[in-house]
Amino acid sequence: MTSYVMRRAAAEDLPAVMSLLDARTQWLRARDTDQWSTRAFQPVMEGAIERGETWLLCEDGQAVATLTMNTTADPDFWTHDEQTTPAFYLSKLATSLDHKGRGLGALLIDWAAGYACEHGILWLRWDVWRTNVELQNYYRSIGATPLRVVNIPGRYSGALFELSATPRADLGITTIAHTEQLPQT
């Protein structure tokens, strides 16, 4: 089993996070999907890293994947009841193209579900662009539950998914949190 380290991203990790996101965005463009085409991520990611919301999955000291999670629900997508139930909301999940096909996306979600469970969080939730059916099918294939599709004018995302936060088997990931403060915005 490959051994990974999952750690909170620090300010000096912004180039690695952006490299993963930029490469994945270019990959999406080449596949004719408009996912992640409406804004620059760097300012968003600077803030997320500063708040302790962004994580890096590393193998042999190299960043191979990233995800961002916090406890703040987007009120355009999530109902009042969902917003009041403890959940981590995932975003900006990207894996290295060099590691494509190695199951890192599912590994990140499994890690996040275990981390959430350890911190008393009941659910993982995230939204996907309504037009990205391939990504929606991928999330279904790894056990995520599609909840509904929300169509908000001016918003491209809106296909909503969730997964119960449950303890996971040993994933071969060592977690290093610079702080145990739960990420919130």
Side-chain angles (χ1 to χ4, degrees), residues 96-166:
S96 167
L97 294 175
D98 293 339
H99 288 69
K100 187 176 178 322
R102 291 175 58 184
L104 292 184
L107 184 68
L108 284 175
I109 295 205
D110 280 348
W111 173 85
Y115 185 85
C117 184
E118 291 168 11
H119 290 85
I121 303 295
L122 303 176
W123 297 99
L124 293 182
R125 294 187 175 131
W126 62 95
D127 57 275
V128 178
W129 281 36
R130 295 183 306 270
T131 57
N132 196 337
V133 175
E134 185 176 346
L135 185 55
Q136 293 172 38
N137 288 337
Y138 169 74
Y139 286 131
R140 284 183 187 92
S141 79
I142 64 170
T145 301
L147 294 178
R148 64 188 166 277
V149 175
V150 178
N151 192 348
I152 302 292
R155 302 289 304 267
Y156 298 93
S157 199
L160 307 182
F161 286 83
E162 74 178 4
L163 184 71
S164 177
T166 57

Side-chain angles (χ1 to χ4, degrees), residues 47-117:
I49 289 171
E50 185 177 306
R51 291 185 300 272
E53 299 170 354
T54 299
W55 293 80
L56 282 172
L57 181 69
C58 299
E59 178 184 44
D60 299 325
Q62 294 289 83
V64 296
T66 186
L67 72 84
T68 296
M69 64 182 177
N70 62 50
T71 57
T72 303
D74 184 329
D76 281 351
F77 297 145
W78 304 99
T79 68
H80 175 73
D81 285 345
E82 290 164 342
Q83 291 177 50
T84 59
T85 302
F88 275 143
Y89 294 88
L90 305 181
S91 65
K92 307 305 178 278
L93 189 153
T95 61
S96 167
L97 294 175
D98 293 339
H99 288 69
K100 187 176 178 322
R102 291 175 58 184
L104 292 184
L107 184 68
L108 284 175
I109 295 205
D110 280 348
W111 173 85
Y115 185 85
C117 184

